Amino acid sequence: MSFGRNPHVAKAEAAEQKALTAKDASSYERAWRDAGRLWERAAERETDAKRRTLYSANADRARATADEPPPEGTASDLN
């Protein structure tokens, strides 16, 4: 266990990486929604106001990205 670190930040970043390598549209959307939820949890746990607003903005961006279609040239085009 690490003291003083917000574990949800690393989880949210990992979810974003998963979204970027998603093979189909549904897993792309699900991963971005998961990232948004994790960024929101990171914001709830954060005590620094500056980082809290940054994490909330990341949550909003992740949710907005989930609503968009996957970009062309993603991993789904390679298979």
Side-chain angles (χ1 to χ4, degrees), residues 1-74:
M1 179 175 183
S2 61
F3 294 99
R5 300 202 59 198
N6 192 334
H8 298 293
V9 174
K11 292 177 184 179
E13 290 170 345
E16 286 185 356
Q17 285 297 324
K18 186 176 180 180
L20 293 174
T21 60
K23 301 222 183 272
D24 59 18
S26 64
S27 60
Y28 174 84
E29 178 183 353
R30 201 172 358 174
W32 276 115
R33 294 210 187 279
D34 187 37
R37 182 182 57 82
L38 289 166
W39 279 120
E40 193 65 39
R41 290 185 72 185
E44 290 170 359
R45 290 188 55 147
E46 190 56 54
T47 55
D48 182 29
K50 191 175 189 180
R51 281 187 285 201
R52 188 179 316 124
T53 56
L54 174 66
Y55 297 163
S56 292
N58 286 346
D60 294 339
R61 177 186 48 81
R63 289 187 191 108
T65 304
D67 292 335
E68 299 171 359
E72 296 299 319
T74 59

